[in-house]
Protein backbone atom coordinates (compact mmCIF):
# COMPACT_ATOMS: atom_id res chain seq x y z
CA UNK A 1 0.00 0.00 0.00
CA UNK A 2 1.01 3.57 -0.64
CA UNK A 3 0.32 6.05 2.14
CA UNK A 4 -0.84 9.56 1.27
CA UNK A 5 -1.61 12.52 3.51
CA UNK A 6 -5.02 14.03 2.98
CA UNK A 7 -7.55 16.56 4.26
CA UNK A 8 -10.80 14.90 5.29
CA UNK A 9 -14.12 15.58 7.00
CA UNK A 10 -15.65 13.01 9.36
CA UNK A 11 -19.21 14.36 9.26
CA UNK A 12 -21.42 16.97 7.59
CA UNK A 13 -20.67 19.74 10.10
CA UNK A 14 -17.01 18.89 10.75
CA UNK A 15 -13.96 20.96 9.90
CA UNK A 16 -11.18 19.46 7.79
CA UNK A 17 -8.47 17.40 9.50
CA UNK A 18 -5.29 15.86 8.17
CA UNK A 19 -5.37 12.06 7.96
CA UNK A 20 -3.27 9.33 6.38
CA UNK A 21 -5.04 7.34 3.68
CA UNK A 22 -3.98 4.26 1.74
CA UNK A 23 -3.75 4.17 -2.02
CA UNK A 24 -3.70 0.75 -3.69
CA UNK A 25 -0.45 -0.76 -4.94
CA UNK A 26 0.03 -0.18 -8.63
CA UNK A 27 -1.73 -2.69 -10.87
CA UNK A 28 -0.32 -3.26 -14.37
CA UNK A 29 -2.40 -0.42 -15.87
CA UNK A 30 -2.16 1.98 -12.92
CA UNK A 31 -0.19 5.18 -12.52
CA UNK A 32 0.80 6.96 -9.31
CA UNK A 33 0.35 10.72 -9.40
CA UNK A 34 1.98 13.12 -6.97
CA UNK A 35 -0.78 15.71 -6.66
CA UNK A 36 0.34 19.31 -7.04
CA UNK A 37 -3.01 21.10 -7.09
CA UNK A 38 -6.66 20.31 -6.39
CA UNK A 39 -9.54 22.64 -7.20
CA UNK A 40 -12.48 23.23 -4.86
CA UNK A 41 -15.74 22.56 -6.71
CA UNK A 42 -19.09 23.51 -5.21
CA UNK A 43 -19.96 19.81 -5.51
CA UNK A 44 -17.28 19.18 -2.86
CA UNK A 45 -19.32 21.36 -0.49
CA UNK A 46 -22.63 19.67 -1.37
CA UNK A 47 -20.88 16.30 -0.82
CA UNK A 48 -18.88 17.05 2.35
CA UNK A 49 -22.01 18.49 3.98
CA UNK A 50 -24.12 15.55 2.81
CA UNK A 51 -26.58 17.80 1.01
CA UNK A 52 -27.17 15.09 -1.62
CA UNK A 53 -27.62 12.40 1.06
CA UNK A 54 -24.92 10.05 -0.24
CA UNK A 55 -21.93 10.96 1.90
CA UNK A 56 -19.52 8.32 3.17
CA UNK A 57 -17.13 9.43 5.93
CA UNK A 58 -14.29 10.01 6.41
CA UNK A 59 -14.42 11.85 3.10
CA UNK A 60 -11.49 13.31 1.19
CA UNK A 61 -13.17 15.46 -1.49
CA UNK A 62 -11.53 16.74 -4.67
CA UNK A 63 -12.13 15.87 -8.31
CA UNK A 64 -10.10 18.58 -10.01
CA UNK A 65 -6.65 17.05 -9.72
CA UNK A 66 -3.39 17.96 -11.45
CA UNK A 67 0.04 16.52 -10.76
CA UNK A 68 3.07 14.60 -11.95
CA UNK A 69 3.33 10.88 -12.65
CA UNK A 70 5.88 9.35 -10.26
CA UNK A 71 5.43 5.61 -10.96
CA UNK A 72 3.79 3.46 -13.63
CA UNK A 73 2.52 -0.14 -13.71
CA UNK A 74 4.13 -2.78 -15.92
CA UNK A 75 1.62 -2.46 -18.78
CA UNK A 76 1.12 1.31 -18.84
CA UNK A 77 1.59 2.62 -22.37
CA UNK A 78 0.17 6.11 -22.40
CA UNK A 79 2.01 7.74 -19.49
CA UNK A 80 5.62 7.86 -18.34
CA UNK A 81 7.29 8.97 -15.12
CA UNK A 82 7.52 12.77 -15.13
CA UNK A 83 4.39 13.30 -17.26
CA UNK A 84 1.86 15.97 -16.30
CA UNK A 85 -1.44 14.27 -15.56
CA UNK A 86 -4.95 15.17 -14.49
CA UNK A 87 -7.91 13.37 -12.95
CA UNK A 88 -11.49 14.62 -12.98
CA UNK A 89 -14.69 13.25 -11.46
CA UNK A 90 -14.31 9.65 -12.68
CA UNK A 91 -11.64 7.04 -11.96
CA UNK A 92 -13.24 4.01 -13.66
CA UNK A 93 -16.38 2.62 -15.32
CA UNK A 94 -17.72 -0.77 -16.47
CA UNK A 95 -15.92 -0.42 -19.83
CA UNK A 96 -18.53 -2.64 -21.54
CA UNK A 97 -21.84 -0.80 -21.84
CA UNK A 98 -22.97 1.36 -24.74
CA UNK A 99 -22.13 4.57 -22.90
CA UNK A 100 -18.57 3.39 -22.24
CA UNK A 101 -18.21 2.42 -25.91
CA UNK A 102 -19.54 5.86 -26.88
CA UNK A 103 -16.88 7.57 -24.71
CA UNK A 104 -19.55 8.84 -22.34
CA UNK A 105 -18.41 6.99 -19.23
CA UNK A 106 -20.16 9.56 -17.05
CA UNK A 107 -23.49 7.95 -17.99
CA UNK A 108 -22.28 4.37 -17.27
CA UNK A 109 -24.14 2.68 -14.41
CA UNK A 110 -20.78 1.33 -13.24
CA UNK A 111 -19.02 4.70 -13.27
CA UNK A 112 -16.70 5.05 -10.26
CA UNK A 113 -16.54 8.56 -8.85
CA UNK A 114 -13.18 9.94 -7.77
CA UNK A 115 -14.33 10.26 -4.16
CA UNK A 116 -17.24 8.79 -2.24
CA UNK A 117 -17.62 6.06 -4.88
CA UNK A 118 -17.15 2.31 -4.60
CA UNK A 119 -13.86 1.31 -6.20
CA UNK A 120 -13.48 -1.95 -8.08
CA UNK A 121 -11.33 -3.14 -5.14
CA UNK A 122 -14.40 -2.79 -2.87
CA UNK A 123 -13.00 0.26 -1.11
CA UNK A 124 -14.55 3.72 -0.94
CA UNK A 125 -12.66 6.09 -3.19
CA UNK A 126 -10.92 9.17 -1.77
CA UNK A 127 -10.27 12.33 -3.76
CA UNK A 128 -7.75 14.97 -4.56
CA UNK A 129 -7.35 16.95 -1.32
CA UNK A 130 -4.35 14.69 -0.82
CA UNK A 131 -0.72 14.23 -1.75
CA UNK A 132 -0.92 11.14 -3.99
CA UNK A 133 -3.48 9.15 -5.95
CA UNK A 134 -3.42 5.91 -7.93
CA UNK A 135 -5.58 5.65 -11.05
CA UNK A 136 -5.86 3.43 -14.10
CA UNK A 137 -4.18 5.21 -16.99
CA UNK A 138 -7.43 5.04 -19.00
CA UNK A 139 -9.01 7.63 -16.68
CA UNK A 140 -6.04 10.01 -16.53
CA UNK A 141 -5.72 13.04 -18.78
CA UNK A 142 -2.67 14.55 -20.42
CA UNK A 143 -2.25 18.20 -19.44
CA UNK A 144 -0.80 20.19 -22.36
CA UNK A 145 2.57 21.82 -21.65
CA UNK A 146 1.20 25.34 -22.15
CA UNK A 147 -1.31 24.98 -19.30
CA UNK A 148 0.06 25.46 -15.78
CA UNK A 149 -0.84 22.65 -13.38
CA UNK A 150 -2.54 25.11 -11.02
CA UNK A 151 -4.96 26.38 -13.66
CA UNK A 152 -5.31 22.92 -15.21
CA UNK A 153 -6.94 21.52 -12.07
CA UNK A 154 -10.32 23.33 -12.33
CA UNK A 155 -10.62 22.35 -15.98
CA UNK A 156 -11.08 18.73 -14.90
CA UNK A 157 -14.57 19.47 -13.55
CA UNK A 158 -15.61 23.11 -14.04
CA UNK A 159 -14.07 23.03 -17.51
CA UNK A 160 -15.54 19.82 -18.87
CA UNK A 161 -18.95 20.33 -17.20
CA UNK A 162 -19.49 23.53 -19.16
CA UNK A 163 -17.64 22.55 -22.36
CA UNK A 164 -19.65 19.35 -22.86
CA UNK A 165 -23.18 20.83 -23.02
CA UNK A 166 -21.98 23.77 -25.13
CA UNK A 167 -20.67 21.24 -27.65
CA UNK A 168 -23.63 18.87 -27.39
CA UNK A 169 -26.11 21.66 -28.13
CA UNK A 170 -23.90 23.06 -30.92
CA UNK A 171 -23.21 26.47 -29.46
CA UNK A 172 -21.32 28.57 -31.99
CA UNK A 173 -21.55 31.58 -34.30
CA UNK A 174 -25.04 33.03 -34.64
CA UNK A 175 -26.21 31.58 -31.31
CA UNK A 176 -27.33 33.77 -28.42
CA UNK A 177 -26.19 32.13 -25.20
CA UNK A 178 -26.86 33.09 -21.58
CA UNK A 179 -24.81 31.81 -18.66
CA UNK A 180 -26.61 31.97 -15.32
CA UNK A 181 -24.26 32.38 -12.32
CA UNK A 182 -20.70 33.64 -12.66
CA UNK A 183 -18.88 31.25 -10.35
CA UNK A 184 -16.38 28.46 -11.01
CA UNK A 185 -18.45 26.79 -13.71
CA UNK A 186 -20.08 29.96 -14.99
CA UNK A 187 -16.86 31.82 -15.73
CA UNK A 188 -15.55 28.84 -17.71
CA UNK A 189 -18.83 28.67 -19.65
CA UNK A 190 -18.43 32.34 -20.63
CA UNK A 191 -14.86 31.77 -21.84
CA UNK A 192 -15.81 28.65 -23.83
CA UNK A 193 -18.99 30.04 -25.39
CA UNK A 194 -17.08 33.16 -26.44
CA UNK A 195 -14.24 31.08 -27.94
CA UNK A 196 -16.83 28.99 -29.82
CA UNK A 197 -18.12 32.18 -31.45
CA UNK A 198 -21.47 32.67 -29.70
CA UNK A 199 -22.93 35.97 -28.48
CA UNK A 200 -22.66 35.58 -24.72
CA UNK A 201 -24.72 37.16 -21.93
CA UNK A 202 -24.01 36.77 -18.22
CA UNK A 203 -27.01 36.64 -15.89
CA UNK A 204 -25.62 37.14 -12.40
CA UNK A 205 -27.56 37.99 -9.29
CA UNK A 206 -25.62 41.23 -8.91
CA UNK A 207 -23.65 43.72 -11.01
CA UNK A 208 -20.54 43.18 -8.83
CA UNK A 209 -18.74 40.98 -11.35
CA UNK A 210 -19.65 42.91 -14.49
CA UNK A 211 -16.10 44.01 -15.37
CA UNK A 212 -14.83 40.47 -14.91
CA UNK A 213 -17.65 38.98 -16.99
CA UNK A 214 -16.91 41.30 -19.90
CA UNK A 215 -13.19 40.53 -19.60
CA UNK A 216 -13.94 36.78 -19.82
CA UNK A 217 -15.63 37.38 -23.17
CA UNK A 218 -19.25 38.26 -22.41
CA UNK A 219 -20.97 40.64 -24.81
CA UNK A 220 -23.69 41.61 -22.31
CA UNK A 221 -24.15 41.38 -18.55
CA UNK A 222 -27.35 41.78 -16.52
CA UNK A 223 -28.28 41.45 -12.87
CA UNK A 224 -31.22 39.12 -12.25
CA UNK A 225 -31.98 41.06 -9.05
CA UNK A 226 -33.05 44.04 -11.17
CA UNK A 227 -36.75 43.91 -11.95
CA UNK A 228 -36.53 44.99 -15.59
CA UNK A 229 -33.99 42.30 -16.60
CA UNK A 230 -36.56 39.56 -17.21
CA UNK A 231 -38.95 41.82 -19.10
CA UNK A 232 -36.25 43.30 -21.31
CA UNK A 233 -34.70 39.96 -22.23
CA UNK A 234 -37.91 37.93 -22.77
CA UNK A 235 -37.61 35.55 -25.76
CA UNK A 236 -33.95 36.40 -26.43
CA UNK A 237 -31.76 33.32 -26.08
CA UNK A 238 -31.21 30.14 -28.11
CA UNK A 239 -29.44 28.45 -25.22
CA UNK A 240 -29.19 29.04 -21.48
CA UNK A 241 -26.71 27.24 -19.23
CA UNK A 242 -27.69 27.36 -15.57
CA UNK A 243 -24.68 26.90 -13.28
CA UNK A 244 -26.33 28.14 -10.07
CA UNK A 245 -25.79 26.01 -6.96
CA UNK A 246 -29.09 27.09 -5.40
CA UNK A 247 -32.78 26.90 -6.27
CA UNK A 248 -33.89 29.44 -8.89
CA UNK A 249 -37.23 30.28 -10.51
CA UNK A 250 -36.96 28.16 -13.66
CA UNK A 251 -40.11 29.56 -15.25
CA UNK A 252 -38.64 33.05 -15.12
CA UNK A 253 -35.47 31.89 -16.89
CA UNK A 254 -37.36 29.77 -19.44
CA UNK A 255 -39.24 32.94 -20.44
CA UNK A 256 -35.91 34.29 -21.69
CA UNK A 257 -35.61 31.54 -24.33
CA UNK A 258 -36.60 32.10 -27.94
CA UNK A 259 -38.93 29.59 -29.66
CA UNK A 260 -37.18 26.17 -29.84
CA UNK A 261 -34.61 27.33 -27.27
CA UNK A 262 -33.00 25.01 -24.72
CA UNK A 263 -32.09 25.58 -21.11
CA UNK A 264 -29.59 23.15 -19.62
CA UNK A 265 -29.08 22.75 -15.89
CA UNK A 266 -25.66 21.81 -14.61
CA UNK A 267 -26.14 23.43 -11.19
CA UNK A 268 -27.06 20.73 -8.69
CA UNK A 269 -28.92 22.12 -5.65
CA UNK A 270 -30.41 19.50 -3.35
CA UNK A 271 -33.84 21.20 -3.38
CA UNK A 272 -36.24 20.11 -6.12
CA UNK A 273 -36.95 22.72 -8.80
CA UNK A 274 -40.36 23.06 -10.38
CA UNK A 275 -41.51 24.01 -13.89
CA UNK A 276 -44.89 24.99 -15.25
CA UNK A 277 -45.35 22.86 -18.39
CA UNK A 278 -46.66 25.95 -20.16
CA UNK A 279 -43.17 27.45 -19.92
CA UNK A 280 -42.13 24.71 -22.38
CA UNK A 281 -45.28 23.93 -24.37
CA UNK A 282 -46.17 27.36 -25.64
CA UNK A 283 -42.97 27.88 -27.62
CA UNK A 284 -41.57 24.33 -28.00
CA UNK A 285 -38.81 24.97 -25.48
CA UNK A 286 -36.62 22.28 -23.90
CA UNK A 287 -35.23 21.86 -20.42
CA UNK A 288 -32.34 19.41 -19.95
CA UNK A 289 -29.48 18.42 -17.69
CA UNK A 290 -25.86 17.45 -18.30
CA UNK A 291 -23.27 15.62 -16.22
CA UNK A 292 -19.54 16.44 -16.50
CA UNK A 293 -18.18 14.77 -19.69
CA UNK A 294 -16.40 11.59 -20.79
CA UNK A 295 -12.65 11.04 -20.81
CA UNK A 296 -12.24 11.54 -24.57
CA UNK A 297 -14.14 14.83 -24.47
CA UNK A 298 -12.22 15.96 -21.37
CA UNK A 299 -8.96 15.52 -23.30
CA UNK A 300 -10.52 17.41 -26.23
CA UNK A 301 -11.46 20.24 -23.84
CA UNK A 302 -7.91 20.44 -22.43
CA UNK A 303 -6.51 20.61 -25.95
CA UNK A 304 -9.12 23.29 -26.85
CA UNK A 305 -7.92 25.34 -23.84
CA UNK A 306 -4.31 25.02 -24.98
CA UNK A 307 -5.22 26.02 -28.52
CA UNK A 308 -7.32 29.05 -27.48
CA UNK A 309 -5.26 30.15 -24.45
CA UNK A 310 -8.17 29.52 -22.08
CA UNK A 311 -7.61 29.07 -18.35
CA UNK A 312 -9.70 29.58 -15.22
CA UNK A 313 -9.13 32.48 -12.83
CA UNK A 314 -7.82 30.99 -9.61
CA UNK A 315 -6.80 31.82 -6.05
CA UNK A 316 -4.29 29.36 -4.60
CA UNK A 317 -4.82 28.47 -0.96
CA UNK A 318 -3.02 26.33 1.59
CA UNK A 319 -4.52 23.08 2.83
CA UNK A 320 -5.38 24.55 6.22
CA UNK A 321 -7.68 27.16 4.60
CA UNK A 322 -10.22 24.77 3.05
CA UNK A 323 -12.95 25.45 5.65
CA UNK A 324 -12.62 29.18 5.09
CA UNK A 325 -12.62 28.70 1.31
CA UNK A 326 -15.87 26.68 1.54
CA UNK A 327 -17.48 29.57 3.41
CA UNK A 328 -16.28 32.07 0.84
CA UNK A 329 -17.67 29.95 -2.02
CA UNK A 330 -21.03 29.87 -0.23
CA UNK A 331 -20.98 33.68 0.01
CA UNK A 332 -20.24 33.91 -3.77
CA UNK A 333 -16.91 35.40 -2.71
CA UNK A 334 -14.71 33.36 -5.03
CA UNK A 335 -12.83 34.81 -8.01
CA UNK A 336 -13.33 32.28 -9.55
CA UNK A 337 -11.93 29.00 -8.26
CA UNK A 338 -9.99 28.12 -5.14
CA UNK A 339 -7.13 25.74 -5.80
CA UNK A 340 -5.37 23.91 -2.97
CA UNK A 341 -1.57 23.73 -3.10
CA UNK A 342 -1.16 20.05 -2.21
CA UNK A 343 2.41 20.74 -1.14
CA UNK A 344 0.98 22.40 1.98
CA UNK A 345 -0.72 19.23 3.25
CA UNK A 346 1.22 18.27 6.37
CA UNK A 347 2.16 14.79 7.61
CA UNK A 348 -0.73 13.08 9.41
P1 LIG B 1 -19.86 28.38 -7.46
O1 LIG B 1 -18.46 28.71 -7.83
O2 LIG B 1 -20.32 28.56 -6.06
O3 LIG B 1 -20.82 29.21 -8.46
C1 LIG B 1 -22.21 29.20 -8.34
C2 LIG B 1 -22.74 30.59 -8.70
O4 LIG B 1 -24.15 30.54 -8.60
C3 LIG B 1 -22.31 31.70 -7.77
O5 LIG B 1 -21.06 32.25 -8.11
C4 LIG B 1 -23.41 32.70 -7.95
O6 LIG B 1 -23.17 33.44 -9.14
C5 LIG B 1 -24.62 31.83 -8.20
N1 LIG B 1 -25.43 31.67 -6.98
C6 LIG B 1 -25.06 31.07 -5.83
N2 LIG B 1 -26.08 31.09 -4.94
C7 LIG B 1 -27.10 31.71 -5.56
C8 LIG B 1 -28.41 32.01 -5.19
N3 LIG B 1 -28.88 31.71 -3.95
N4 LIG B 1 -29.23 32.63 -6.09
C9 LIG B 1 -28.74 32.96 -7.30
N5 LIG B 1 -27.48 32.68 -7.71
C10 LIG B 1 -26.68 32.08 -6.85
O7 LIG B 1 -20.18 26.85 -7.78
P2 LIG B 1 -19.63 25.92 -8.98
O8 LIG B 1 -18.46 25.15 -8.47
O9 LIG B 1 -19.54 26.71 -10.21
O10 LIG B 1 -20.82 24.84 -9.09
C11 LIG B 1 -22.11 25.28 -9.44
C12 LIG B 1 -23.11 24.14 -9.32
O11 LIG B 1 -22.84 23.17 -10.32
C13 LIG B 1 -23.06 23.39 -7.99
O12 LIG B 1 -24.40 23.06 -7.61
C14 LIG B 1 -22.29 22.13 -8.34
O13 LIG B 1 -22.59 21.04 -7.50
C15 LIG B 1 -22.79 21.88 -9.73
N6 LIG B 1 -21.93 21.03 -10.56
C16 LIG B 1 -22.54 20.19 -11.43
C17 LIG B 1 -21.79 19.41 -12.28
C18 LIG B 1 -22.47 18.54 -13.29
O14 LIG B 1 -21.83 17.62 -13.81
N7 LIG B 1 -23.70 18.79 -13.62
C19 LIG B 1 -20.40 19.46 -12.21
C20 LIG B 1 -19.80 20.35 -11.32
C21 LIG B 1 -20.57 21.14 -10.50
P3 LIG B 1 -23.55 35.01 -9.26
O15 LIG B 1 -22.93 35.66 -8.07
O16 LIG B 1 -22.95 35.42 -10.54
O17 LIG B 1 -25.06 35.10 -9.29
ZN1 LIG C 1 -17.02 19.35 -9.64
ZN1 LIG D 1 -20.18 1.30 -18.81
Amino acid sequence: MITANARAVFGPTDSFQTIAIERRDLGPKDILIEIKYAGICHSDIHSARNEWGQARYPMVPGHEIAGIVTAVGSEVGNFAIGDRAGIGCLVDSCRECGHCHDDEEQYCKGAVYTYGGMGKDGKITQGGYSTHIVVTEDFALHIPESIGLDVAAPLLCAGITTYSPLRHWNVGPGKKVAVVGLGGLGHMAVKFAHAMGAEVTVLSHSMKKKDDGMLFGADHYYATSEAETFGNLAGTFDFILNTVSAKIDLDAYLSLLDVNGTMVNVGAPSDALSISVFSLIMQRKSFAGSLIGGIRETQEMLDFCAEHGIAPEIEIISADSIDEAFERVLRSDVRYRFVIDAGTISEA
Side-chain angles (χ1 to χ4, degrees):
M1 287 288 179
I2 298 157
T3 302
N5 295 305
R7 297 287 281 165
V9 282
F10 282 77
T13 56
D14 286 4
S15 302
F16 277 88
Q17 307 178 27
T18 302
I19 61 167
I21 56 170
E22 289 188 338
R23 300 299 193 183
R24 64 174 182 263
D25 288 327
L26 292 196
K29 297 281 284 172
D30 285 341
I31 61 175
L32 172 65
I33 297 174
E34 183 183 329
I35 298 173
K36 297 293 186 189
Y37 296 100
I40 294 181
C41 176
H42 205 120
S43 298
D44 298 345
I45 304 177
H46 293 308
S47 300
R49 300 191 173 181
N50 199 20
E51 291 172 14
W52 294 332
Q54 298 165 330
R56 292 161 158 153
Y57 300 105
M59 178 192 295
V60 178
H63 56 211
E64 295 185 335
I65 302 167
I68 301 288
V69 176
T70 54
V72 296
S74 57
E75 291 171 19
V76 168
N78 207 11
F79 285 88
I81 291 173
D83 279 1
R84 299 145 53 81
I87 302 176
C89 300
L90 302 174
V91 287
D92 216 332
S93 69
C94 88
R95 321 266 189 126
E96 288 166 0
C97 72
H99 304 299
C100 287
H101 284 298
D102 290 344
D103 293 319
E104 295 198 316
E105 302 87 359
Q106 73 274 31
Y107 300 120
C108 167
K109 287 198 177 112
V112 180
Y113 289 98
T114 303
Y115 66 86
M118 185 54 72
K120 286 187 175 167
D121 57 1
K123 295 199 173 130
I124 293 165
T125 54
Q126 299 288 11
Y129 296 6
S130 60
T131 54
H132 298 81
I133 188 166
V134 173
V135 66
T136 167
E137 66 166 337
D138 298 336
F139 281 73
L141 288 307
H142 287 284
I143 297 171
E145 285 297 328
S146 64
I147 304 178
L149 289 179
D150 50 359
V151 287
L155 297 175
L156 279 314
C157 176
I160 185 59
T161 300
T162 49
Y163 180 90
S164 183
L166 293 172
R167 280 288 188 231
H168 183 79
W169 275 277
N170 297 315
V171 161
K175 291 277 173 73
K176 290 187 175 176
V177 172
V179 175
V180 188
L182 195 64
L185 267 58
H187 92 294
M188 289 311 305
V190 171
K191 291 186 181 207
F192 285 137
H194 173 70
M196 290 170 190
E199 183 178 334
V200 185
T201 299
V202 173
L203 300 175
S204 173
H205 65 277
S206 78
M207 291 304 281
K208 282 188 211 152
K209 304 181 224 174
K210 179 173 181 189
D211 291 348
D212 290 347
M214 303 305 278
L215 216 58
F216 302 154
D219 301 285
H220 317 280
Y221 185 111
Y222 298 95
T224 52
S225 54
E226 290 177 4
E228 63 275 18
T229 294
F230 287 91
N232 290 347
L233 296 176
T236 299
F237 302 107
D238 301 300
F239 184 81
I240 299 176
L241 189 67
N242 175 26
T243 73
V244 175
S245 49
K247 192 173 177 173
I248 60 166
D249 178 356
L250 291 180
D251 293 312
Y253 287 89
L254 287 167
S255 75
L256 306 183
L257 286 174
D258 197 358
V259 177
N260 293 324
T262 300
M263 175 162 171
V264 174
N265 222 81
V266 288
S270 49
D271 292 334
L273 306 184
S274 68
I275 290 183
S276 160
V277 290
F278 296 101
S279 295
L280 304 174
I281 289 173
M282 300 308 285
Q283 294 186 305
R284 199 166 55 191
K285 294 175 180 175
S286 303
F287 180 71
S290 183
L291 178 67
I292 46 174
I295 298 301
R296 185 200 54 72
E297 193 174 41
T298 305
Q299 190 64 59
E300 177 190 308
M301 178 274 310
L302 288 168
D303 297 340
F304 182 89
C305 288
E307 189 187 328
H308 293 267
I310 291 175
E313 310 300 316
I314 62 165
E315 181 176 334
I316 296 177
I317 62 162
S318 66
D320 56 13
S321 306
I322 299 171
D323 297 297
E324 189 191 329
F326 272 26
E327 293 306 324
R328 285 185 56 196
V329 172
L330 290 170
R331 292 198 302 269
S332 290
D333 177 25
V334 51
R335 301 288 187 275
Y336 280 80
R337 202 57 145 186
F338 290 114
V339 172
I340 303 161
D341 175 355
T344 62
I345 300 175
S346 52
E347 290 272 327

